[in-house]
Amino acid sequence: MATNGSSRYDAVIVGGGHNGLVAAAYLARAGYRVLVLERLARTGGAAVSAAAFPGVDARLSRYSYLVSLLPAKVVRELGLRLELRRRRISSYTPAVRDGKPTGLLVDAGDPGRTGESFRALTGSDREWRAWREFYGTTGRVAERVFPTLTEPLPSRAELRRRIGDGAAWTDLFERPLGETVERTFTDDLVRGVVLTDALIGTFTHAHDPALRQNRCFLYHVIGNGTGDWDVPVGGMGAVTDALAAAAVAAGAEIRTGHEVTAIAGDGRGEAEVSYRHADGEATVAARRVLVNAAPATLARLLGTAPEPAPEGAQLKVNMVLRRLPRLRDPSADPRDAFAGTFHIAEGYRQLEAAYAEAAAGRMPSAPPSEIYCHTLTDPSILGPEAVRQGLQTLTLFGLHMPARLFGDPAAKERALAASLAQLDAVLAEPIADCLAVDADGRPCVEARTPPELERELGLPGGHIFHRDLAFPFLPEEPGGTGEGTAAERWGVATARPDVLLCGAGAVRGGGVSGIPGHNAAQAALEDLANPAR
């Protein structure tokens, strides 16, 4: 985009992913001069849409794919032209009982149908009652916690008082989630469905004493106070397109193809941001620098020692189908089963076994994964010819696939083949028979591993959250950020007072949320309004 020739800004934002665009829009709307510098040729980071297969008119959400944590407050305040569509079906999990294929269907719009599915699977109402009680509790926690994510960080004690449920606090914030899951549910499949929300994007297990699984679970069940995961109409690119439009309309300047190489300064005066682009190198000055990149990347830009390297642990697979496959479960309609989250090899014991294998450096023998079909909820990502042909998309997110497994060049193909084999095991026909082909006659299936995410998006170790998620309260450990500065109170502080973290690595980061961008902007607004800072 065009520049205005100035080399001095109130705020420079490093990285044009969705959080950087949120921060840019808020700061520009407040009247400040804002520059966004993005390394890639387009904005959006991991939240983009792409025509992944030549000759196939389908714009897939190539990396990130569903939205839960983006606050309605941010959508409203920035005037975003965006539609998030609710999925009627929450999940379907295939199973075998007494030698016969069956499954568990969770229909968000029909509790009676869901209850009947629980009874048919487990033989009683016990698990259904436990499910309702458990998610009733998480729903109440979500209603109390989610509004705090766009406020200054509460203390641990303040958040506990706000939740107002000592038992829920202990189960979600103090004891390994596996204890609660095992105490609450008896059916292995039901336990696994619950546990998966604690593992998406986090390489851990049910009884991790560091509670990484609890933190991941919390962020997966509190979105907008409901925990619903919605489909972005038009694909994930529609989200960041709306954010970029809001930032530009407010007066922010966005330069793509501009890679930041260093951030200099002593933290007391203006920072100097150096970058390179097609025509050479340049430097701009800024009162505040907001970094929408991983903490490891920030350390490199500042020339400081990085924290221990994070490790991503997922396999992302995109597919386009000629038609949805039939299921072994004769009672399951594929249009229901694939509309929500379709769980594969995600029984409780299966998840723990896959983690143990991967932690030992072996590819899981039965890789767990989750699938959903975007086009059943939103066919707008298909062109007219693709709609006429009846094409559908499938997104597979594989768990327990850490970066350490992909040192061998052939590992990616093994991981993909093993994951699709687990899908085939619950289908009445091979998924390969349902795949569309591209203009070159190749099947429409692509996979992305953690090393590829690092190369393509700059995610250290391919970690989709930039580093382990943090509980949404002020740190209490020695060396914690405390409550002093605006950046510390908003959970976006770095070692430099003039540099703020506005990406997924901030406290209350992770997922397509815009929350770190909002919070970094609020901290910057406090500082910029005070000439003494």
Side-chain angles (χ1 to χ4, degrees), residues 92 101-103 105 113 327-334 336:
Y92 171 79
T102 182
L105 181 73
R113 186 184 186 197
L327 301 170
R328 290 186 186 272
D329 176 2
S331 67
D333 181 345
D336 282 344

Side-chain angles (χ1 to χ4, degrees), residues 77-134:
E77 290 179 347
L78 297 185
L80 301 182
R81 301 184 63 180
L82 173 67
E83 181 184 354
L84 302 175
R85 191 168 292 169
R86 187 64 40 86
R87 297 185 298 171
R88 160 72 182 266
I89 302 299
S90 177
S91 68
Y92 171 79
T93 309
V96 176
R97 295 289 162 94
D98 299 323
K100 298 179 180 179
T102 182
L104 177 64
L105 181 73
V106 179
D107 185 335
D110 190 342
R113 186 184 186 197
T114 302
E116 179 55 38
S117 185
F118 269 87
R119 284 188 290 274
L121 180 78
T122 66
S124 76
D125 283 325
R126 187 212 176 276
E127 297 296 86
W128 174 227
R129 287 195 300 269
W131 178 279
R132 285 179 294 174
E133 291 172 6
F134 180 77

Side-chain angles (χ1 to χ4, degrees), residues 145-146 148-149 151-156 159 163 169 173 214-215 218-219 222 469-475 507-509:
V145 172
F146 191 75
T148 72
L149 301 190
E151 300 171 355
L153 278 165
S155 69
R156 184 186 185 101
L159 189 62
I163 289 173
W169 177 268
F173 291 86
N214 291 52
R215 287 174 257 155
L218 183 72
Y219 285 98
I222 62 173
L469 295 166
F471 280 126
F473 47 69
L474 283 164
V507 180
R508 305 180 289 189

Side-chain angles (χ1 to χ4, degrees), residues 465-482:
F465 301 144
H466 293 186
R467 59 179 173 184
D468 285 343
L469 295 166
F471 280 126
F473 47 69
L474 283 164
E476 296 179 334
E477 68 273 16
T481 57

Side-chain angles (χ1 to χ4, degrees), residues 196-220:
T196 55
D197 278 338
L199 305 177
I200 298 291
T202 302
F203 187 51
T204 188
H205 58 96
H207 291 277
D208 181 356
L211 304 185
R212 285 184 287 264
Q213 73 283 35
N214 291 52
R215 287 174 257 155
C216 183
F217 182 81
L218 183 72
Y219 285 98
H220 277 88

Side-chain angles (χ1 to χ4, degrees), residues 315 363 401 404-418 447 449 451-452 455:
L315 180 73
M363 190 75 68
M401 289 286 183
R404 70 189 75 170
L405 300 182
F406 294 96
D408 176 356
K412 174 179 173 179
E413 291 307 315
R414 291 200 302 272
L416 175 61
T449 65
E452 287 174 314
R455 289 194 298 271

Side-chain angles (χ1 to χ4, degrees), residues 156-209:
R156 184 186 185 101
E158 288 169 339
L159 189 62
R160 179 171 183 164
R161 283 195 298 271
R162 187 152 180 168
I163 289 173
D165 184 333
W169 177 268
T170 298
D171 287 345
L172 296 178
F173 291 86
E174 294 186 349
R175 302 298 306 165
L177 184 67
E179 295 180 8
T180 302
V181 171
E182 291 170 14
R183 185 183 72 246
T184 304
F185 304 99
T186 61
D187 187 272
D188 184 82
L189 190 77
V190 176
R191 286 177 172 179
V193 172
V194 176
L195 184 62
T196 55
D197 278 338
L199 305 177
I200 298 291
T202 302
F203 187 51
T204 188
H205 58 96
H207 291 277
D208 181 356

